Amino acid sequence: MMRTRIGIALAGTAATVLALAGCSGDSSPLPGSTTAAATPGASAAAPAATPDTSCNPRASLRPTGALPQPGHMPAGSYMAKIQAQGRLILGTSQDTLLFSSRNPFTGKVEGFDVDMGRQIAQAIFGDPNKLQIKVIGYDKRVSSAKDGSVDIVADTMTANCARWKDVNFSSIYYEAGQRVLVSKDSPVKSIDDLGGKKVCAASGSTSLDNIAKAKSKPIPVAKASFGDCLVAFQQNEVDAISTDDTILAGMAAQDPYARVVGVPFTQEPYGMAMSKAHPEFTQFVNAVLAKNRENGTWTATYKKWLGAFGAPPAPPVAEYK
Ligand code: GLU
């Protein structure tokens, strides 16, 4: 069947985006832990893949002591190196609406993930704008954090045991889960109905692996980015896109002929990735996250980007090794 869709350019403000999301008719609960199924330990559909239990991917490095004053990073620390370089270099994507996407009116990349980076810059410099954004591919998130080409990655990135072998993750700052986006006139209700159908996800994402492991045996189609998946979907090259509910919500906001279906069938806890070479930076970032969970900054950030989808859930509880 032919579908006619018009991709809507990435909207300029969160308000516009959320208005669009409303227009898309996607009544599904949004990102976050407001749904029982997206809450760790709560029941969801049977996981598509056996989770890797070789580590606790949520457990990060415990912060030590009080945060140093902004502008006074301890000598010899990686934070002092960042202070000397004059900006925090954040690796992220530019096509994940609500989390990190380029605002066409300002040209700036913005969203929940970018604000996570801004809050770290605030803690180092006392200025959230001392941030340089480097746009990286989904398949370059681990290597960019590992080789130091960015100081930190905040990019809808799931903390998992495989990635922990190469990078440190911060404590969890967002709980997502994988769902499915299909055409509004599709009878598909979940990943279980996509056997033999082409389902798109970005190379280097856990989503692609989860599609390949789904019991229904969909045909995984890899693209460089989820923006490319949306184009492929709009051109009828693929039947569905499957990735985190966060990313799908942004896509549904851009395509009034698409909707998000099914309950989350995986858990995708987001952490910021950093090099293992300087663990004090991971501890520092965790101290900033702890402070911002406590003082309401996390909740304000949720409301700013995702508030129109419902009341903010409690921030994810930090776990430490
Ligand atoms: N959160 C998943 C991941 O880190 C899938 C979506 C994404 O690529 O960000 O792979």
Side-chain angles (χ1 to χ4, degrees):
M1 186 194 344
M2 277 304 292
R3 290 189 296 248
T4 311
R5 294 201 191 89
I6 302 167
I8 299 172
L10 294 181
T13 66
T16 314
V17 169
L18 298 172
L20 286 169
C23 289
S24 78
D26 174 17
S27 57
S28 45
L30 185 57
S33 326
T34 45
T35 59
T39 307
S43 61
T50 313
D52 181 353
T53 51
S54 62
C55 77
N56 174 5
R58 295 166 188 276
S60 185
L61 311 187
R62 189 177 291 279
T64 51
L67 274 170
Q69 285 302 307
H72 297 89
M73 295 300 109
S77 68
Y78 191 71
M79 295 77 82
K81 182 189 160 280
I82 296 171
Q83 194 185 316
Q85 91 190 352
R87 68 218 186 273
L88 173 72
I89 304 175
L90 171 75
T92 193
S93 56
Q94 62 175 347
D95 64 349
T96 310
L97 208 56
L98 306 174
F99 275 74
S100 53
S101 70
R102 198 170 289 282
N103 179 323
F105 299 112
T106 63
K108 293 200 168 126
V109 179
E110 62 182 24
F112 193 101
D113 277 339
V114 174
D115 278 1
M116 288 294 122
R118 288 196 184 289
Q119 288 159 20
I120 307 304
Q122 168 72 35
I124 295 173
F125 299 100
D127 180 352
N129 296 322
K130 296 225 160 155
L131 186 78
Q132 178 189 352
I133 291 180
K134 275 198 187 174
V135 174
I136 54 174
Y138 283 94
D139 60 348
K140 295 284 182 297
R141 291 175 296 183
V142 169
S143 59
S144 302
K146 193 174 172 180
D147 67 16
S149 51
V150 301
D151 296 316
I152 191 163
V153 171
D155 191 15
T156 60
M157 186 173 185
T158 301
N160 63 24
C161 298
R163 290 171 176 168
W164 260 108
K165 290 188 179 117
D166 291 309
V167 292
N168 278 350
F169 281 100
S170 69
S171 61
I172 302 308
Y173 68 88
Y174 194 90
E175 297 283 357
Q178 186 164 344
R179 298 177 70 197
V180 169
L181 178 125
V182 290
S183 175
K184 263 198 175 156
D185 56 10
S186 164
V188 167
K189 290 196 177 60
S190 75
I191 191 83
D192 299 337
D193 301 326
L194 284 166
K197 303 283 187 205
K198 290 184 183 161
V199 182
C200 194
S203 303
S205 68
T206 54
S207 318
L208 193 65
D209 298 340
N210 292 333
I211 295 166
K213 289 173 189 162
K215 287 199 192 88
S216 57
K217 297 203 189 317
I219 302 164
V221 176
K223 296 282 179 189
S225 73
F226 283 105
D228 294 333
C229 278
L230 185 59
V231 172
F233 175 69
Q234 291 179 331
Q235 293 180 340
N236 296 312
E237 195 191 310
V238 298
D239 300 285
I241 303 169
S242 183
T243 183
D244 301 347
D245 46 10
T246 44
I247 299 173
L248 295 181
M251 289 186 192
Q254 295 172 72
D255 186 340
Y257 300 97
R259 69 191 169 119
V260 182
V261 296
V263 293
F265 60 94
T266 66
Q267 291 179 5
E268 308 292 334
Y270 292 169
M272 287 180 261
M274 291 153 276
S275 166
K276 282 183 176 292
H278 34 72
E280 74 279 10
F281 185 43
T282 304
Q283 291 173 307
F284 176 86
V285 167
N286 285 343
V288 176
L289 284 171
K291 182 178 166 198
N292 289 346
R293 280 186 201 98
E294 191 70 25
N295 68 13
T297 301
W298 186 93
T299 303
T301 310
Y302 186 99
K303 281 188 186 155
K304 177 178 171 189
W305 296 106
L306 306 168
F309 292 94
V317 175
E319 291 180 42
Y320 301 116
K321 289 179 194 294

mmCIF file with all atom_site columns, all heavy atoms in Angstrom, residues 156-177:
data_model
loop_
_atom_site.group_PDB
_atom_site.id
_atom_site.type_symbol
_atom_site.label_atom_id
_atom_site.label_alt_id
_atom_site.label_comp_id
_atom_site.label_asym_id
_atom_site.label_entity_id
_atom_site.label_seq_id
_atom_site.pdbx_PDB_ins_code
_atom_site.Cartn_x
_atom_site.Cartn_y
_atom_site.Cartn_z
_atom_site.occupancy
_atom_site.B_iso_or_equiv
_atom_site.pdbx_formal_charge
_atom_site.auth_seq_id
_atom_site.auth_comp_id
_atom_site.auth_asym_id
_atom_site.auth_atom_id
_atom_site.pdbx_PDB_model_num
ATOM 1   N N   . THR A 1 156 ? 21.460 9.491  24.318 1.00 0.00 ? 156 THR A N   1
ATOM 2   C CA  . THR A 1 156 ? 20.501 8.378  24.463 1.00 0.00 ? 156 THR A CA  1
ATOM 3   C C   . THR A 1 156 ? 21.233 7.026  24.506 1.00 0.00 ? 156 THR A C   1
ATOM 4   O O   . THR A 1 156 ? 20.845 6.066  23.863 1.00 0.00 ? 156 THR A O   1
ATOM 5   C CB  . THR A 1 156 ? 19.442 8.365  23.328 1.00 0.00 ? 156 THR A CB  1
ATOM 6   O OG1 . THR A 1 156 ? 20.084 8.232  22.056 1.00 0.00 ? 156 THR A OG1 1
ATOM 7   C CG2 . THR A 1 156 ? 18.570 9.612  23.350 1.00 0.00 ? 156 THR A CG2 1
ATOM 8   N N   . MET A 1 157 ? 22.289 6.993  25.299 1.00 0.00 ? 157 MET A N   1
ATOM 9   C CA  . MET A 1 157 ? 23.202 5.844  25.261 1.00 0.00 ? 157 MET A CA  1
ATOM 10  C C   . MET A 1 157 ? 22.929 4.895  26.426 1.00 0.00 ? 157 MET A C   1
ATOM 11  O O   . MET A 1 157 ? 23.039 5.289  27.596 1.00 0.00 ? 157 MET A O   1
ATOM 12  C CB  . MET A 1 157 ? 24.639 6.355  25.310 1.00 0.00 ? 157 MET A CB  1
ATOM 13  C CG  . MET A 1 157 ? 25.679 5.284  25.137 1.00 0.00 ? 157 MET A CG  1
ATOM 14  S SD  . MET A 1 157 ? 27.310 6.052  25.003 1.00 0.00 ? 157 MET A SD  1
ATOM 15  C CE  . MET A 1 157 ? 28.303 4.601  24.665 1.00 0.00 ? 157 MET A CE  1
ATOM 16  N N   . THR A 1 158 ? 22.616 3.688  26.088 1.00 0.00 ? 158 THR A N   1
ATOM 17  C CA  . THR A 1 158 ? 22.326 2.669  27.092 1.00 0.00 ? 158 THR A CA  1
ATOM 18  C C   . THR A 1 158 ? 23.616 2.201  27.756 1.00 0.00 ? 158 THR A C   1
ATOM 19  O O   . THR A 1 158 ? 24.581 1.848  27.074 1.00 0.00 ? 158 THR A O   1
ATOM 20  C CB  . THR A 1 158 ? 21.631 1.467  26.426 1.00 0.00 ? 158 THR A CB  1
ATOM 21  O OG1 . THR A 1 158 ? 20.433 1.933  25.807 1.00 0.00 ? 158 THR A OG1 1
ATOM 22  C CG2 . THR A 1 158 ? 21.313 0.371  27.426 1.00 0.00 ? 158 THR A CG2 1
ATOM 23  N N   . ALA A 1 159 ? 23.597 2.219  29.083 1.00 0.00 ? 159 ALA A N   1
ATOM 24  C CA  . ALA A 1 159 ? 24.727 1.650  29.829 1.00 0.00 ? 159 ALA A CA  1
ATOM 25  C C   . ALA A 1 159 ? 24.540 0.136  29.835 1.00 0.00 ? 159 ALA A C   1
ATOM 26  O O   . ALA A 1 159 ? 23.530 -0.357 30.340 1.00 0.00 ? 159 ALA A O   1
ATOM 27  C CB  . ALA A 1 159 ? 24.720 2.196  31.253 1.00 0.00 ? 159 ALA A CB  1
ATOM 28  N N   . ASN A 1 160 ? 25.462 -0.584 29.232 1.00 0.00 ? 160 ASN A N   1
ATOM 29  C CA  . ASN A 1 160 ? 25.367 -2.052 29.289 1.00 0.00 ? 160 ASN A CA  1
ATOM 30  C C   . ASN A 1 160 ? 26.754 -2.647 29.535 1.00 0.00 ? 160 ASN A C   1
ATOM 31  O O   . ASN A 1 160 ? 27.770 -1.940 29.483 1.00 0.00 ? 160 ASN A O   1
ATOM 32  C CB  . ASN A 1 160 ? 24.691 -2.626 28.028 1.00 0.00 ? 160 ASN A CB  1
ATOM 33  C CG  . ASN A 1 160 ? 25.471 -2.358 26.752 1.00 0.00 ? 160 ASN A CG  1
ATOM 34  O OD1 . ASN A 1 160 ? 26.685 -2.148 26.772 1.00 0.00 ? 160 ASN A OD1 1
ATOM 35  N ND2 . ASN A 1 160 ? 24.772 -2.376 25.620 1.00 0.00 ? 160 ASN A ND2 1
ATOM 36  N N   . CYS A 1 161 ? 26.763 -3.941 29.825 1.00 0.00 ? 161 CYS A N   1
ATOM 37  C CA  . CYS A 1 161 ? 28.025 -4.578 30.250 1.00 0.00 ? 161 CYS A CA  1
ATOM 38  C C   . CYS A 1 161 ? 29.052 -4.566 29.124 1.00 0.00 ? 161 CYS A C   1
ATOM 39  O O   . CYS A 1 161 ? 30.250 -4.361 29.382 1.00 0.00 ? 161 CYS A O   1
ATOM 40  C CB  . CYS A 1 161 ? 27.756 -6.001 30.718 1.00 0.00 ? 161 CYS A CB  1
ATOM 41  S SG  . CYS A 1 161 ? 26.661 -6.064 32.150 1.00 0.00 ? 161 CYS A SG  1
ATOM 42  N N   . ALA A 1 162 ? 28.605 -4.761 27.887 1.00 0.00 ? 162 ALA A N   1
ATOM 43  C CA  . ALA A 1 162 ? 29.557 -4.777 26.767 1.00 0.00 ? 162 ALA A CA  1
ATOM 44  C C   . ALA A 1 162 ? 30.270 -3.424 26.669 1.00 0.00 ? 162 ALA A C   1
ATOM 45  O O   . ALA A 1 162 ? 31.495 -3.367 26.508 1.00 0.00 ? 162 ALA A O   1
ATOM 46  C CB  . ALA A 1 162 ? 28.824 -5.087 25.471 1.00 0.00 ? 162 ALA A CB  1
ATOM 47  N N   . ARG A 1 163 ? 29.531 -2.355 26.795 1.00 0.00 ? 163 ARG A N   1
ATOM 48  C CA  . ARG A 1 163 ? 30.133 -1.018 26.680 1.00 0.00 ? 163 ARG A CA  1
ATOM 49  C C   . ARG A 1 163 ? 30.982 -0.651 27.893 1.00 0.00 ? 163 ARG A C   1
ATOM 50  O O   . ARG A 1 163 ? 31.974 0.070  27.767 1.00 0.00 ? 163 ARG A O   1
ATOM 51  C CB  . ARG A 1 163 ? 29.020 0.017  26.454 1.00 0.00 ? 163 ARG A CB  1
ATOM 52  C CG  . ARG A 1 163 ? 28.373 -0.118 25.068 1.00 0.00 ? 163 ARG A CG  1
ATOM 53  C CD  . ARG A 1 163 ? 27.135 0.752  24.921 1.00 0.00 ? 163 ARG A CD  1
ATOM 54  N NE  . ARG A 1 163 ? 26.583 0.681  23.568 1.00 0.00 ? 163 ARG A NE  1
ATOM 55  C CZ  . ARG A 1 163 ? 25.399 1.143  23.215 1.00 0.00 ? 163 ARG A CZ  1
ATOM 56  N NH1 . ARG A 1 163 ? 24.606 1.705  24.131 1.00 0.00 ? 163 ARG A NH1 1
ATOM 57  N NH2 . ARG A 1 163 ? 24.977 1.059  21.972 1.00 0.00 ? 163 ARG A NH2 1
ATOM 58  N N   . TRP A 1 164 ? 30.568 -1.161 29.066 1.00 0.00 ? 164 TRP A N   1
ATOM 59  C CA  . TRP A 1 164 ? 31.354 -0.903 30.285 1.00 0.00 ? 164 TRP A CA  1
ATOM 60  C C   . TRP A 1 164 ? 32.785 -1.436 30.147 1.00 0.00 ? 164 TRP A C   1
ATOM 61  O O   . TRP A 1 164 ? 33.697 -0.991 30.832 1.00 0.00 ? 164 TRP A O   1
ATOM 62  C CB  . TRP A 1 164 ? 30.689 -1.562 31.502 1.00 0.00 ? 164 TRP A CB  1
ATOM 63  C CG  . TRP A 1 164 ? 29.869 -0.644 32.373 1.00 0.00 ? 164 TRP A CG  1
ATOM 64  C CD1 . TRP A 1 164 ? 28.515 -0.616 32.475 1.00 0.00 ? 164 TRP A CD1 1
ATOM 65  C CD2 . TRP A 1 164 ? 30.356 0.342  33.303 1.00 0.00 ? 164 TRP A CD2 1
ATOM 66  N NE1 . TRP A 1 164 ? 28.127 0.338  33.397 1.00 0.00 ? 164 TRP A NE1 1
ATOM 67  C CE2 . TRP A 1 164 ? 29.235 0.934  33.928 1.00 0.00 ? 164 TRP A CE2 1
ATOM 68  C CE3 . TRP A 1 164 ? 31.631 0.782  33.685 1.00 0.00 ? 164 TRP A CE3 1
ATOM 69  C CZ2 . TRP A 1 164 ? 29.337 1.941  34.883 1.00 0.00 ? 164 TRP A CZ2 1
ATOM 70  C CZ3 . TRP A 1 164 ? 31.734 1.794  34.641 1.00 0.00 ? 164 TRP A CZ3 1
ATOM 71  C CH2 . TRP A 1 164 ? 30.606 2.362  35.227 1.00 0.00 ? 164 TRP A CH2 1
ATOM 72  N N   . LYS A 1 165 ? 33.003 -2.416 29.255 1.00 0.00 ? 165 LYS A N   1
ATOM 73  C CA  . LYS A 1 165 ? 34.372 -2.948 29.077 1.00 0.00 ? 165 LYS A CA  1
ATOM 74  C C   . LYS A 1 165 ? 35.287 -1.870 28.510 1.00 0.00 ? 165 LYS A C   1
ATOM 75  O O   . LYS A 1 165 ? 36.495 -1.885 28.721 1.00 0.00 ? 165 LYS A O   1
ATOM 76  C CB  . LYS A 1 165 ? 34.345 -4.155 28.149 1.00 0.00 ? 165 LYS A CB  1
ATOM 77  C CG  . LYS A 1 165 ? 33.674 -5.345 28.814 1.00 0.00 ? 165 LYS A CG  1
ATOM 78  C CD  . LYS A 1 165 ? 33.801 -6.632 28.005 1.00 0.00 ? 165 LYS A CD  1
ATOM 79  C CE  . LYS A 1 165 ? 33.135 -7.772 28.759 1.00 0.00 ? 165 LYS A CE  1
ATOM 80  N NZ  . LYS A 1 165 ? 32.002 -8.363 28.073 1.00 0.00 ? 165 LYS A NZ  1
ATOM 81  N N   . ASP A 1 166 ? 34.720 -0.923 27.767 1.00 0.00 ? 166 ASP A N   1
ATOM 82  C CA  . ASP A 1 166 ? 35.536 0.096  27.092 1.00 0.00 ? 166 ASP A CA  1
ATOM 83  C C   . ASP A 1 166 ? 35.442 1.486  27.701 1.00 0.00 ? 166 ASP A C   1
ATOM 84  O O   . ASP A 1 166 ? 36.346 2.300  27.518 1.00 0.00 ? 166 ASP A O   1
ATOM 85  C CB  . ASP A 1 166 ? 35.122 0.192  25.615 1.00 0.00 ? 166 ASP A CB  1
ATOM 86  C CG  . ASP A 1 166 ? 35.508 -1.050 24.842 1.00 0.00 ? 166 ASP A CG  1
ATOM 87  O OD1 . ASP A 1 166 ? 36.683 -1.449 24.932 1.00 0.00 ? 166 ASP A OD1 1
ATOM 88  O OD2 . ASP A 1 166 ? 34.637 -1.646 24.186 1.00 0.00 ? 166 ASP A OD2 1
ATOM 89  N N   . VAL A 1 167 ? 34.327 1.792  28.323 1.00 0.00 ? 167 VAL A N   1
ATOM 90  C CA  . VAL A 1 167 ? 34.136 3.143  28.880 1.00 0.00 ? 167 VAL A CA  1
ATOM 91  C C   . VAL A 1 167 ? 33.511 3.061  30.262 1.00 0.00 ? 167 VAL A C   1
ATOM 92  O O   . VAL A 1 167 ? 32.936 2.032  30.636 1.00 0.00 ? 167 VAL A O   1
ATOM 93  C CB  . VAL A 1 167 ? 33.197 4.011  27.975 1.00 0.00 ? 167 VAL A CB  1
ATOM 94  C CG1 . VAL A 1 167 ? 33.848 4.346  26.657 1.00 0.00 ? 167 VAL A CG1 1
ATOM 95  C CG2 . VAL A 1 167 ? 31.838 3.344  27.780 1.00 0.00 ? 167 VAL A CG2 1
ATOM 96  N N   . ASN A 1 168 ? 33.635 4.156  31.010 1.00 0.00 ? 168 ASN A N   1
ATOM 97  C CA  . ASN A 1 168 ? 32.867 4.308  32.248 1.00 0.00 ? 168 ASN A CA  1
ATOM 98  C C   . ASN A 1 168 ? 31.539 4.970  31.915 1.00 0.00 ? 168 ASN A C   1
ATOM 99  O O   . ASN A 1 168 ? 31.490 5.852  31.044 1.00 0.00 ? 168 ASN A O   1
ATOM 100 C CB  . ASN A 1 168 ? 33.598 5.241  33.224 1.00 0.00 ? 168 ASN A CB  1
ATOM 101 C CG  . ASN A 1 168 ? 34.677 4.528  34.008 1.00 0.00 ? 168 ASN A CG  1
ATOM 102 O OD1 . ASN A 1 168 ? 34.782 3.305  33.970 1.00 0.00 ? 168 ASN A OD1 1
ATOM 103 N ND2 . ASN A 1 168 ? 35.477 5.303  34.716 1.00 0.00 ? 168 ASN A ND2 1
ATOM 104 N N   . PHE A 1 169 ? 30.499 4.575  32.610 1.00 0.00 ? 169 PHE A N   1
ATOM 105 C CA  . PHE A 1 169 ? 29.235 5.297  32.522 1.00 0.00 ? 169 PHE A CA  1
ATOM 106 C C   . PHE A 1 169 ? 28.995 6.040  33.828 1.00 0.00 ? 169 PHE A C   1
ATOM 107 O O   . PHE A 1 169 ? 29.394 5.583  34.906 1.00 0.00 ? 169 PHE A O   1
ATOM 108 C CB  . PHE A 1 169 ? 28.069 4.329  32.286 1.00 0.00 ? 169 PHE A CB  1
ATOM 109 C CG  . PHE A 1 169 ? 27.943 3.879  30.856 1.00 0.00 ? 169 PHE A CG  1
ATOM 110 C CD1 . PHE A 1 169 ? 28.419 2.643  30.458 1.00 0.00 ? 169 PHE A CD1 1
ATOM 111 C CD2 . PHE A 1 169 ? 27.362 4.702  29.903 1.00 0.00 ? 169 PHE A CD2 1
ATOM 112 C CE1 . PHE A 1 169 ? 28.311 2.226  29.133 1.00 0.00 ? 169 PHE A CE1 1
ATOM 113 C CE2 . PHE A 1 169 ? 27.252 4.298  28.582 1.00 0.00 ? 169 PHE A CE2 1
ATOM 114 C CZ  . PHE A 1 169 ? 27.732 3.064  28.188 1.00 0.00 ? 169 PHE A CZ  1
ATOM 115 N N   . SER A 1 170 ? 28.298 7.158  33.709 1.00 0.00 ? 170 SER A N   1
ATOM 116 C CA  . SER A 1 170 ? 27.809 7.861  34.902 1.00 0.00 ? 170 SER A CA  1
ATOM 117 C C   . SER A 1 170 ? 26.708 7.014  35.526 1.00 0.00 ? 170 SER A C   1
ATOM 118 O O   . SER A 1 170 ? 26.282 6.006  34.955 1.00 0.00 ? 170 SER A O   1
ATOM 119 C CB  . SER A 1 170 ? 27.233 9.225  34.489 1.00 0.00 ? 170 SER A CB  1
ATOM 120 O OG  . SER A 1 170 ? 26.025 9.032  33.751 1.00 0.00 ? 170 SER A OG  1
ATOM 121 N N   . SER A 1 171 ? 26.207 7.463  36.656 1.00 0.00 ? 171 SER A N   1
ATOM 122 C CA  . SER A 1 171 ? 24.977 6.853  37.165 1.00 0.00 ? 171 SER A CA  1
ATOM 123 C C   . SER A 1 171 ? 23.859 7.126  36.154 1.00 0.00 ? 171 SER A C   1
ATOM 124 O O   . SER A 1 171 ? 23.994 8.008  35.294 1.00 0.00 ? 171 SER A O   1
ATOM 125 C CB  . SER A 1 171 ? 24.641 7.432  38.545 1.00 0.00 ? 171 SER A CB  1
ATOM 126 O OG  . SER A 1 171 ? 24.433 8.822  38.447 1.00 0.00 ? 171 SER A OG  1
ATOM 127 N N   . ILE A 1 172 ? 22.794 6.364  36.256 1.00 0.00 ? 172 ILE A N   1
ATOM 128 C CA  . ILE A 1 172 ? 21.717 6.436  35.243 1.00 0.00 ? 172 ILE A CA  1
ATOM 129 C C   . ILE A 1 172 ? 20.953 7.752  35.391 1.00 0.00 ? 172 ILE A C   1
ATOM 130 O O   . ILE A 1 172 ? 20.559 8.138  36.497 1.00 0.00 ? 172 ILE A O   1
ATOM 131 C CB  . ILE A 1 172 ? 20.762 5.228  35.413 1.00 0.00 ? 172 ILE A CB  1
ATOM 132 C CG1 . ILE A 1 172 ? 21.554 3.912  35.273 1.00 0.00 ? 172 ILE A CG1 1
ATOM 133 C CG2 . ILE A 1 172 ? 19.611 5.296  34.409 1.00 0.00 ? 172 ILE A CG2 1
ATOM 134 C CD1 . ILE A 1 172 ? 22.410 3.769  34.034 1.00 0.00 ? 172 ILE A CD1 1
ATOM 135 N N   . TYR A 1 173 ? 20.768 8.434  34.269 1.00 0.00 ? 173 TYR A N   1
ATOM 136 C CA  . TYR A 1 173 ? 20.037 9.703  34.328 1.00 0.00 ? 173 TYR A CA  1
ATOM 137 C C   . TYR A 1 173 ? 18.697 9.641  33.605 1.00 0.00 ? 173 TYR A C   1
ATOM 138 O O   . TYR A 1 173 ? 17.933 10.610 33.640 1.00 0.00 ? 173 TYR A O   1
ATOM 139 C CB  . TYR A 1 173 ? 20.893 10.859 33.782 1.00 0.00 ? 173 TYR A CB  1
ATOM 140 C CG  . TYR A 1 173 ? 21.164 10.793 32.287 1.00 0.00 ? 173 TYR A CG  1
ATOM 141 C CD1 . TYR A 1 173 ? 20.280 11.362 31.372 1.00 0.00 ? 173 TYR A CD1 1
ATOM 142 C CD2 . TYR A 1 173 ? 22.304 10.160 31.789 1.00 0.00 ? 173 TYR A CD2 1
ATOM 143 C CE1 . TYR A 1 173 ? 20.512 11.298 30.005 1.00 0.00 ? 173 TYR A CE1 1
ATOM 144 C CE2 . TYR A 1 173 ? 22.539 10.094 30.422 1.00 0.00 ? 173 TYR A CE2 1
ATOM 145 C CZ  . TYR A 1 173 ? 21.643 10.663 29.541 1.00 0.00 ? 173 TYR A CZ  1
ATOM 146 O OH  . TYR A 1 173 ? 21.883 10.597 28.184 1.00 0.00 ? 173 TYR A OH  1
ATOM 147 N N   . TYR A 1 174 ? 18.390 8.502  32.987 1.00 0.00 ? 174 TYR A N   1
ATOM 148 C CA  . TYR A 1 174 ? 17.093 8.390  32.298 1.00 0.00 ? 174 TYR A CA  1
ATOM 149 C C   . TYR A 1 174 ? 16.795 6.918  32.040 1.00 0.00 ? 174 TYR A C   1
ATOM 150 O O   . TYR A 1 174 ? 17.697 6.166  31.687 1.00 0.00 ? 174 TYR A O   1
ATOM 151 C CB  . TYR A 1 174 ? 17.114 9.150  30.962 1.00 0.00 ? 174 TYR A CB  1
ATOM 152 C CG  . TYR A 1 174 ? 15.724 9.342  30.420 1.00 0.00 ? 174 TYR A CG  1
ATOM 153 C CD1 . TYR A 1 174 ? 14.984 10.469 30.765 1.00 0.00 ? 174 TYR A CD1 1
ATOM 154 C CD2 . TYR A 1 174 ? 15.122 8.375  29.640 1.00 0.00 ? 174 TYR A CD2 1
ATOM 155 C CE1 . TYR A 1 174 ? 13.682 10.616 30.330 1.00 0.00 ? 174 TYR A CE1 1
ATOM 156 C CE2 . TYR A 1 174 ? 13.824 8.515  29.199 1.00 0.00 ? 174 TYR A CE2 1
ATOM 157 C CZ  . TYR A 1 174 ? 13.111 9.641  29.546 1.00 0.00 ? 174 TYR A CZ  1
ATOM 158 O OH  . TYR A 1 174 ? 11.816 9.780  29.123 1.00 0.00 ? 174 TYR A OH  1
ATOM 159 N N   . GLU A 1 175 ? 15.539 6.549  32.212 1.00 0.00 ? 175 GLU A N   1
ATOM 160 C CA  . GLU A 1 175 ? 15.121 5.160  31.957 1.00 0.00 ? 175 GLU A CA  1
ATOM 161 C C   . GLU A 1 175 ? 14.283 5.119  30.685 1.00 0.00 ? 175 GLU A C   1
ATOM 162 O O   . GLU A 1 175 ? 13.158 5.641  30.674 1.00 0.00 ? 175 GLU A O   1
ATOM 163 C CB  . GLU A 1 175 ? 14.246 4.642  33.107 1.00 0.00 ? 175 GLU A CB  1
ATOM 164 C CG  . GLU A 1 175 ? 14.930 4.567  34.460 1.00 0.00 ? 175 GLU A CG  1
ATOM 165 C CD  . GLU A 1 175 ? 15.867 3.387  34.601 1.00 0.00 ? 175 GLU A CD  1
ATOM 166 O OE1 . GLU A 1 175 ? 15.963 2.564  33.663 1.00 0.00 ? 175 GLU A OE1 1
ATOM 167 O OE2 . GLU A 1 175 ? 16.509 3.299  35.657 1.00 0.00 ? 175 GLU A OE2 1
ATOM 168 N N   . ALA A 1 176 ? 14.809 4.523  29.639 1.00 0.00 ? 176 ALA A N   1
ATOM 169 C CA  . ALA A 1 176 ? 14.050 4.367  28.399 1.00 0.00 ? 176 ALA A CA  1
ATOM 170 C C   . ALA A 1 176 ? 13.768 2.883  28.174 1.00 0.00 ? 176 ALA A C   1
ATOM 171 O O   . ALA A 1 176 ? 14.195 2.026  28.963 1.00 0.00 ? 176 ALA A O   1
ATOM 172 C CB  . ALA A 1 176 ? 14.831 4.952  27.227 1.00 0.00 ? 176 ALA A CB  1
ATOM 173 N N   . GLY A 1 177 ? 13.034 2.586  27.112 1.00 0.00 ? 177 GLY A N   1
ATOM 174 C CA  . GLY A 1 177 ? 12.751 1.194  26.758 1.00 0.00 ? 177 GLY A CA  1
ATOM 175 C C   . GLY A 1 177 ? 12.426 1.136  25.269 1.00 0.00 ? 177 GLY A C   1
ATOM 176 O O   . GLY A 1 177 ? 11.921 2.112  24.708 1.00 0.00 ? 177 GLY A O   1
#
